[in-house]
């Protein structure tokens, strides 16, 4: 039994029969040595199920027969479904099998496929490799590097074809393997431009089931817009109700909504696309144009606003580095943004989950000087009710914390809210 296991593992595809006690052990044919016209879809599907231990048929495949400066044959498959927990431990994913003249020399040859494409299954067979090839040899031989470059180019070419001509396959691929695939932007710098073109994101102008490319986003940009805007968070539902979007909705400016955790690490690294910088709308230093506003709402300003900002700063404490009048808020009273050098709040949460403690970045509290509540607080301030204003400022600040999921003391928040409501409903 042990002998048969070894034969099936390493010599299952040799082109002659191997008998044990008169029974043929190697039952599978080396399908990759046949020409494409000789292989049926049924044979391809059965071969995929055999090498991938998958009950489903593959999403698509690539059949290569390369001759010239480098000689190798290959069958590469993209599964329809991701394996369980593949994102948690991509290093544990088995990669393609390496053969030399139909004899397996490595069951899991990670040197042939970069980590971000490690969802593929298949075989690579090269006559240029010796049968006794070692792990060390596969890491350093130029033959392996050349084969890897060809495979990556062909796999990306197939995905690009789906994006252009087979949206259903592309959507299936992106849903299952998008998070791992996107990580290639931080590792495969040679193919960075191709990977960037294949990125897809939700946005304020797409439905929950739709996604947009950066190219389509730029094509829709109005003439006055100079930057590509994005906002990262834990869910689409949370992102769509974020008050930081109010200005952009009013101006009909599209914002990318990054609900996939990997996006928060990948997108800032893109820097710019087609000479358009990518910028988080969480940043306090956004260059927002309000010159075309049809009307300027009456708002608190001047010395009165400065006095209110001082009270808000005292109420917020050390967590806030500054309090400013907001230009991005339309209907909300306040929001928290980050300084020029700070990390996005979502990135901070992700790093905390990975036990990478960086310490929270100080936030900028933006208040809406034209909001009725701010006007009312200003009136109370003028009437000498500083303590009441400070208590409500604390409540507004903690409400902003609550919206971004950072409120540490909900009990105090509820207690203060009850107190404020009690005073508001007293019989005058």
């Amino acid at each position: 039994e042990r002998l048969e296991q070894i034969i099936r593992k390493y010599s299952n595809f040799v082109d002659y029969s191997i008998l044990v006690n008169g029974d043929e052990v190697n039952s599978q044919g080396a399908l990759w040595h046949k020409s494409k016209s000789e292989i049926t879809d049924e044979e391809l599907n059965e071969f995929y199920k055999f090498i991938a231990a998958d009950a489903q048929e593959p999403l698509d495949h690539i059949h290569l027969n390369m001759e010239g400066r480098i000689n190798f044959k290959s069958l590469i498959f993209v599964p329809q479904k991701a394996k369980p927990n593949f994102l948690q431990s991509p290093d544990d994913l088995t990669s393609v099998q390496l053969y030399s003249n139909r004899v397996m020399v490595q069951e899991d040859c990670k040197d042939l496929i970069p980590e971000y494409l490690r969802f593929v299954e298949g075989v690579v067979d090269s006559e240029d490799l010796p049968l006794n090839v070692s792990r060390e040899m596969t890491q350093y031989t130029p033959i392996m590097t050349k084969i890897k470059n060809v495979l990556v180019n062909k796999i990306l070419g197939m995905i690009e074809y789906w994006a252009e001509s087979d949206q259903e396959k592309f959507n299936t691929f992106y849903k299952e393997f998008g998070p791992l695939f996107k990580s290639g932007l931080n590792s495969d710098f040679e193919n960075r431009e191709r990977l960037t073109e294949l990125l897809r994101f939700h946005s304020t102008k797409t439905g929950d089931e739709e996604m947009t490319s950066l190219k389509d986003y730029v094509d829709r940009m109005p003439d006055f817009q100079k930057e590509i805007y994005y906002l990262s968070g834990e869910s689409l539902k949370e992102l769509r109700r974020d008050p930081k979007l109010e200005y952009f909705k009013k101006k009909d400016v599209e914002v990318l909504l990054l609900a996939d955790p990997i996006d928060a690490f990948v997108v800032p690294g893109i820097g710019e696309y087609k000479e358009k910088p990518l910028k988080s709308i969480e940043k306090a230093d956004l260059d927002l144009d309000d010159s075309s506003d049809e009307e300027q709402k009456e708002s608190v300003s001047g010395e009165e606003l400065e006095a209110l900002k001082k009270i808000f700063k005292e109420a917020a404490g050390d967590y806030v580095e500054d309090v400013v009048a907001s230009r991005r808020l339309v209907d909300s009273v306040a929001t928290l943004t980050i300084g020029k050098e700070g990390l996005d709040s979502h990135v901070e949460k992700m790093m905390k989950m990975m036990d990478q403690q960086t310490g929270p970045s100080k936030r900028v509290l933006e208040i809406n000087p034209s909001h009725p509540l701010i006007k009312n607080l200003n009136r109370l301030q003028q009437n000498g009710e500083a303590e009441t204003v400070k208590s409500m400022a604390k409540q507004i600040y903690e409400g902003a914390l609550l919206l971004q999921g950072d409120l540490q003391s909900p009990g105090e928040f509820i207690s203060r809210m009850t107190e404020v409501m009690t005073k508001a409903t007293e019989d005058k």
Side-chain angles (χ1 to χ4, degrees):
E1 182 180 344
R2 178 63 179 146
L3 182 59
E4 289 179 1
Q5 288 176 352
I6 293 171
I7 292 170
R8 288 193 182 99
K9 181 173 181 178
Y10 293 100
S11 301
N12 209 28
F13 301 103
V14 295
D15 55 358
Y16 49 83
S17 299
I18 301 177
L19 307 180
V20 176
N21 295 330
D23 295 326
E24 184 179 5
V25 178
N26 57 322
S27 57
Q28 291 287 330
L31 210 61
W32 61 89
H33 274 268
K34 293 183 178 182
S35 66
K36 296 178 183 180
S37 60
E38 295 177 324
I39 306 174
T40 65
D41 290 341
E42 184 179 358
E43 287 178 313
L44 280 169
N45 293 335
E46 290 305 312
F47 179 77
Y48 163 74
K49 292 175 183 179
F50 174 78
I51 63 166
D54 192 349
Q56 288 187 303
E57 297 177 356
L59 182 65
D60 211 335
H61 76 281
I62 301 171
H63 189 177
L64 299 176
N65 186 353
M66 308 298 293
E67 295 180 350
R69 294 171 58 188
I70 181 172
N71 300 295
F72 75 93
K73 296 177 175 63
S74 178
L75 260 177
I76 300 294
F77 298 89
V78 176
Q80 290 203 47
K81 296 284 290 182
K83 292 181 179 178
N85 301 322
F86 88 107
L87 268 181
Q88 281 70 27
S89 51
D91 284 339
D92 295 338
L93 292 176
T94 56
S95 192
V96 297
Q97 301 172 6
L98 178 63
Y99 287 75
S100 176
N101 292 294
R102 296 183 174 87
V103 176
M104 181 191 286
V105 292
Q106 249 186 60
E107 184 177 17
D108 179 19
C109 189
K110 286 183 166 58
D111 299 307
L112 279 176
I113 297 291
E115 185 176 291
Y116 74 96
L117 295 178
R118 211 165 282 168
F119 51 83
V120 302
E121 304 273 0
V123 298
V124 174
D125 189 342
S126 176
E127 299 173 0
D128 296 338
L129 291 172
L131 283 173
N132 64 343
V133 64
S134 64
R135 170 74 173 169
E136 289 74 22
M137 183 180 292
T138 62
Q139 286 179 315
Y140 298 112
T141 177
I143 296 172
M144 296 291 289
T145 302
K146 292 176 183 176
I147 294 175
K148 178 180 179 179
N149 290 339
V150 172
L151 291 177
V152 171
N153 182 55
K154 294 295 183 180
I155 293 170
L156 292 182
M158 176 171 61
I159 298 171
E160 288 166 341
Y161 173 78
W162 295 340
E164 289 291 327
S165 307
D166 197 332
Q167 199 62 45
E168 185 176 350
K169 278 187 179 178
F170 182 81
N171 290 343
T172 299
F173 153 76
Y174 211 79
K175 178 182 177 182
E176 295 296 321
F177 307 109
L180 181 61
F181 179 75
K182 284 183 278 192
S183 69
L185 267 85
N186 293 335
S187 58
D188 189 354
F189 301 106
E190 185 176 341
N191 291 296
R192 189 175 176 84
E193 286 189 20
R194 296 178 72 181
L195 295 175
T196 301
E197 293 294 343
L198 290 168
L199 293 177
R200 298 293 184 271
F201 305 101
H202 294 287
S203 85
T204 51
K205 291 194 176 182
T206 67
D208 288 354
E209 300 302 319
E210 302 170 283
M211 303 186 88
T212 182
S213 65
L214 289 175
K215 179 182 181 300
D216 290 341
Y217 177 102
V218 170
D219 288 345
R220 289 192 293 267
M221 284 174 58
D223 293 338
F224 66 83
Q225 185 181 343
K226 306 303 179 186
E227 298 172 323
I228 298 171
Y229 298 112
Y230 67 87
L231 177 65
S232 57
E234 295 183 4
S235 69
L236 271 180
K237 185 178 180 181
E238 171 194 281
L239 289 169
R240 291 194 187 281
R241 64 181 184 221
D242 195 300
K244 297 180 189 68
L245 291 173
E246 291 174 359
Y247 167 90
F248 300 91
K249 290 177 180 177
K250 180 182 178 182
K251 296 286 188 177
D252 195 30
V253 171
E254 186 172 11
V255 177
L256 300 176
L257 304 176
L258 312 186
D260 190 338
I262 189 66
D263 288 340
F265 297 97
V266 169
V267 172
I270 296 174
E272 65 176 40
Y273 176 80
K274 295 191 182 299
E275 300 181 347
K276 300 287 191 297
L278 276 75
K279 192 134 188 184
S280 169
I281 68 168
E282 271 203 285
K283 293 286 186 180
D285 63 337
L286 286 181
D287 182 18
L288 302 179
D289 175 25
D290 55 5
S291 59
S292 61
D293 283 353
E294 294 178 2
E295 58 181 70
Q296 294 292 331
K297 293 182 179 179
E298 181 184 349
S299 61
V300 181
S301 60
E303 293 182 1
E304 294 178 355
L305 179 60
E306 292 303 315
L308 268 183
K309 286 160 59 176
K310 184 177 179 181
I311 294 175
F312 270 89
K313 182 70 172 66
E314 292 174 358
D318 293 338
Y319 185 76
V320 166
E321 69 177 38
D322 198 8
V323 178
V324 300
S326 180
R327 296 167 58 200
R328 79 185 75 211
L329 294 176
V330 178
D331 299 315
S332 296
V333 64
T335 190
L336 286 164
T337 58
I338 56 178
K340 190 173 183 180
E341 304 301 326
L343 290 174
D344 283 9
S345 57
H346 187 58
V347 174
E348 278 190 358
K349 291 176 189 174
M350 294 295 297
M351 295 184 75
K352 186 176 181 181
M353 289 172 61
M354 296 185 292
D355 294 326
Q356 295 184 21
Q357 300 294 339
T358 59
S361 301
K362 283 195 173 184
R363 296 294 187 247
V364 174
L365 177 62
E366 296 193 4
I367 59 174
N368 183 353
S370 62
H371 194 280
L373 180 53
I374 298 298
K375 294 177 185 177
N376 291 344
L377 291 180
N378 181 55
R379 176 175 49 79
L380 290 176
Q381 175 191 233
Q382 299 302 311
N383 293 338
E385 300 182 49
E387 286 303 312
T388 301
V389 174
K390 187 174 181 179
S391 177
M392 292 188 177
K394 181 80 169 179
Q395 195 72 2
I396 291 170
Y397 159 66
E398 290 194 352
L401 278 177
L402 178 64
L403 274 177
Q404 68 176 33
D406 287 334
L407 182 60
Q408 302 297 317
S409 52
E412 290 181 21
F413 179 79
I414 295 297
S415 177
R416 193 183 305 106
M417 181 182 71
T418 303
E419 181 183 338
V420 169
M421 293 173 69
T422 300
K423 287 183 179 180
T425 55
E426 286 177 351
D427 185 1
K428 302 296 183 180

